[in-house]
Amino acid sequence: MSSAAAPTLSLPGDPPGGRRAAWVWGIGVAVYFVAIIFRTSLGVAGLDAADRFDVNASALSTFSILQLLVYAGMQIPVGLMVDRLGTKRVLTIGAVLFTVGQLGFALSPSYGMALAARVLLGCGDAMTFISVLRLGSRWFPARRGPLIAQVAALFGMAGNLVSTLFIARALHSFGWTTTFVGSALAGVVVLIPLLLFLKDHPEGHEPPPAEHTGAAYVRRQIAAAWREPGTRLGMWVHFTTQFPAMVFLLLWGMPFLVEAQGLSRATAGTLLTLVVVSNMVVGLVFGQIIARHHEARAPIALGTVATTAFLWACAIFYPADQTPMWLLTVLCVVLGACGPASMVGFDFARPANPPERQGTASGIVNMGGFIASMTTLFAVGVLLDATGGNYRVAFASVFVLEALGVAQILRLRRRAAVRERDHHVVSRVEAVHVPA
């Protein structure tokens, strides 16, 4: 099929990849790795934060909601910044901001100051993933795009693993301030090689100069990316697949397992770790499948949504006070597929947009899952307070957003496929007529 063969096409000007590409890209991934540690550290510290700042469930959820609100709101501006300023500058700004934010969170004496610190952290975090995607597209051949994106996400989940394994234990052993100040030092560590060694692209593969004309240019970039059905489909795929696992890992998984299921913190932490490990394994599998069979993108996304919804329903509506451990374990394994499935969204947007618009398109896609996560984090907190801690009612809010997302995916799927097929035909024609 043409859709399967198209991604293997080597376009003129494709970067060669190789060891140097892996080294430079690895520096960017290291920055993203640390950003994920900082982003997800609250997920294992939620109960500690509630005690430290003396807040209820709604106020506790505000930490993550505000951080994600900033993250989602900055995706398009960050995409434009990456397209205009380059990867190194944007990653440097991001690393400085999320390091200062993590340090501020460690030392905040009040709830208000802690919120401000999470906003700063969210700003820096927002600049990392789009930059890493752009870096991969500049240093590796286009056919490697799906696998490179999944491997980048895998390293991000490794950062989540650090949170669940080490930060949780450090909080118990060393306390709040020492743990978060110590973790902030990781931001300084990755900033040094970033400044010294990272380059936006290999020699001889400089992108063509773009015309930047202020607000008019910004509007054109956003409008052109949004007009592509592949960009919108990618956003809704990201929206629908990512948020159940994000909500579980970022904040509400630990309280649900401890308060509603009666598990110890250690057992709950093991289940959260299982989500992360599953994510890393599934990410490699999905990346290989999509690289070889591009037509598998939509089935992977929709299959993940259906399986997640089914097991989520089984776990929260189990006809007993507590869900059996085997079912919670299966749920956590399946939640691990949500992150890799969300990466499929970028594989819809990537072939729909030219290189000079990749950052903007990726920013639009990346907004999807974080808007869904932010909305659900807020809904769960409000419903928990309104129902006296009824997790069944609160967690059922997930189904509303999943239904919305699936409806949009089905609506846009055929339109995006037709448009992508047209792009592939044009690319083949241009490749044939490029002078040797």
Side-chain angles (χ1 to χ4, degrees):
M1 293 179 65
S2 61
S3 60
T8 64
L9 180 66
S10 182
L11 299 178
D14 248 7
R19 289 185 179 180
R20 186 169 178 231
W23 160 247
V24 174
W25 177 76
I27 295 172
V29 169
V31 177
Y32 175 57
F33 170 79
V34 173
I36 294 295
I37 295 175
F38 292 178
R39 180 202 299 173
T40 58
S41 58
L42 184 61
V44 295
L47 298 175
D48 300 87
D51 292 337
R52 179 179 175 86
F53 301 112
D54 191 24
V55 294
N56 61 14
S58 296
L60 180 60
S61 66
T62 302
F63 276 123
S64 295
I65 291 167
L66 192 58
Q67 182 180 335
L68 291 184
L69 178 63
V70 171
Y71 186 103
M74 286 190 64
Q75 287 310 292
I76 292 178
V78 167
L80 291 163
M81 287 173 64
V82 171
D83 286 338
R84 182 167 185 175
L85 301 178
T87 303
K88 182 171 184 175
R89 292 179 183 176
V90 176
L91 270 180
T92 301
I93 296 169
V96 171
L97 288 177
F98 67 59
T99 301
V100 173
Q102 184 78 341
L103 185 61
F105 193 59
L107 302 176
S108 295
S110 67
Y111 176 68
M113 290 186 66
L115 280 178
R118 295 305 285 188
V119 168
L120 203 59
L121 194 157
C123 288
D125 182 19
M127 298 183 179
T128 57
F129 189 63
I130 300 300
S131 298
V132 171
L133 287 180
R134 169 65 172 259
L135 196 65
S137 70
R138 291 297 188 196
W139 281 89
F140 292 95
R143 67 181 182 275
R144 300 292 185 190
L147 183 59
I148 291 299
Q150 289 287 0
V151 172
L154 184 150
F155 278 97
M157 292 310 296
N160 202 327
L161 192 62
V162 170
S163 292
T164 56
L165 289 178
F166 298 108
I167 290 188
R169 294 177 183 177
L171 279 167
H172 178 73
S173 301
F174 304 112
W176 180 280
T177 302
T178 301
T179 297
F180 280 99
V181 169
S183 67
L185 295 176
V188 179
V189 171
V190 296
L191 188 59
I192 295 171
L194 167 60
L195 292 171
L196 293 178
F197 303 114
L198 191 135
K199 292 191 66 175
D200 286 355
H201 46 75
E203 292 81 1
H205 292 272
E206 293 81 1
E211 294 294 330
H212 301 292
T213 54
Y217 164 77
V218 170
R219 287 194 297 269
R220 285 197 302 271
Q221 282 284 91
I222 296 173
W226 183 256
R227 277 196 299 269
E228 292 291 343
T231 304
R232 283 176 281 142
L233 176 59
M235 186 196 74
W236 283 109
V237 167
H238 199 270
F239 177 100
T240 314
T241 53
Q242 186 200 49
F243 78 98
M246 180 71 73
V247 167
F248 201 78
L249 286 171
L250 201 59
L251 185 60
W252 291 121
M254 179 71 78
F256 167 73
L257 295 171
V258 173
E259 296 176 352
Q261 301 302 319
L263 303 180
S264 67
R265 286 199 183 196
T267 303
T270 300
L271 287 174
L272 294 179
T273 303
L274 181 60
V275 178
V276 177
V277 173
S278 172
N279 184 297
M280 297 170 72
V281 174
V282 173
L284 288 176
V285 174
F286 281 5
Q288 293 285 358
I289 291 174
I290 295 170
R292 289 177 169 84
H293 309 284
H294 224 46
E295 70 276 8
R297 292 172 299 172
I300 283 176
L302 292 171
T304 300
V305 173
T307 307
T308 301
F310 174 73
L311 286 168
W312 191 274
C314 290
I316 67 173
F317 296 127
Y318 190 81
D321 290 338
Q322 294 181 346
T323 305
M325 179 60 72
W326 69 265
L327 183 51
L328 292 174
T329 301
V330 174
L331 172 65
C332 288
V333 171
V334 171
L335 285 175
C338 291
S342 73
M343 298 301 298
V344 174
F346 297 101
D347 293 318
F348 282 112
R350 188 182 300 110
N353 292 274
E356 64 272 14
R357 210 166 60 219
Q358 288 292 325
T360 305
S362 296
I364 292 173
V365 171
N366 211 27
M367 285 176 60
F370 291 94
I371 290 173
S373 298
M374 177 182 60
T375 303
T376 309
L377 284 167
F378 177 74
V380 169
V382 169
L383 289 170
L384 284 174
D385 285 340
T387 61
N390 189 326
Y391 278 92
R392 288 182 172 178
V393 174
F395 273 25
S397 59
V398 164
F399 303 124
V400 178
L401 272 70
E402 285 185 324
L404 171 63
V406 168
Q408 294 298 323
I409 291 171
L410 296 176
R411 182 178 70 86
L412 290 164
R413 181 182 176 185
R414 185 178 299 275
R415 194 183 312 172
V418 171
R419 182 72 169 163
E420 185 174 319
R421 189 161 52 245
D422 292 342
H423 280 308
H424 289 158
V425 171
V426 172
S427 296
R428 284 195 181 96
V429 171
E430 290 177 348
V432 168
H433 289 88
V434 169

